[in-house]
Amino acid sequence: QVHLVESGGGSVQAGGSLRLSCTASEDIQKFCMGWFRQSPGKEREGIATIDSAHKTTTVDSVKGRFTISKDLATDTLYLEMGSLKTEDTAVYYCAASLSRWHCVGADYDYWGQGTQVTVSS
């Protein structure tokens, strides 16, 4: 069982920045790691992934504004969010997949509790 804890959410004005962190209880190099978000009334969407080779993907809606990265020394996953928009308001979750590669579309086996990000105009 992998325990994931997100932090770093909060309220920010449009155009601002936030950095989300996700600390894992195990070596995150063994997993695909991903960030997901869910807004009220919407389905959860995957927005960024990073595999064991540090290859990253981001969806078009956040490309160029969000960056996923990881620190293997501390088993921490990050999501740097810039140029935030009101439509980025959501609960953000980190997740780990037992698949080390092919992170997009993989089944994610472990989830954090989520952290709220609210962007105001």
Side-chain angles (χ1 to χ4, degrees):
Q1 183 74 19
V2 180
H3 190 51
L4 302 171
V5 179
E6 301 99 335
S7 61
S11 297
V12 64
Q13 288 194 319
S17 301
L18 281 174
R19 186 177 78 163
L20 304 184
S21 301
C22 171
T23 302
S25 60
E26 291 190 25
D27 178 5
I28 60 174
Q29 188 66 355
K30 299 188 297 185
F31 308 98
C32 272
M33 300 297 297
W35 285 101
F36 296 76
R37 68 184 180 186
Q38 187 166 21
S39 304
K42 295 186 178 181
E43 291 188 357
R44 185 172 59 200
E45 64 168 335
I47 57 172
T49 67
I50 185 166
D51 70 12
S52 291
H54 294 247
K55 179 181 176 182
T56 64
T57 67
T58 51
V59 295
D60 287 346
S61 61
V62 305
K63 198 176 294 289
R65 300 190 298 121
F66 291 10
T67 302
I68 186 172
S69 63
K70 59 184 177 180
D71 182 342
L72 300 181
T74 60
D75 292 319
T76 302
L77 181 73
Y78 296 103
L79 185 68
E80 297 274 1
M81 305 187 295
S83 301
L84 283 161
K85 305 176 181 181
T86 55
E87 52 263 43
D88 295 319
T89 295
V91 178
Y92 285 71
Y93 300 90
C94 70
S97 171
L98 292 171
S99 171
R100 295 183 66 173
W101 324 104
H102 311 296
C103 300
V104 178
D107 290 329
Y108 281 78
D109 305 281
Y110 307 103
W111 294 82
Q113 82 288 351
T115 186
Q116 176 71 46
V117 172
T118 302
V119 184
S120 59
S121 59

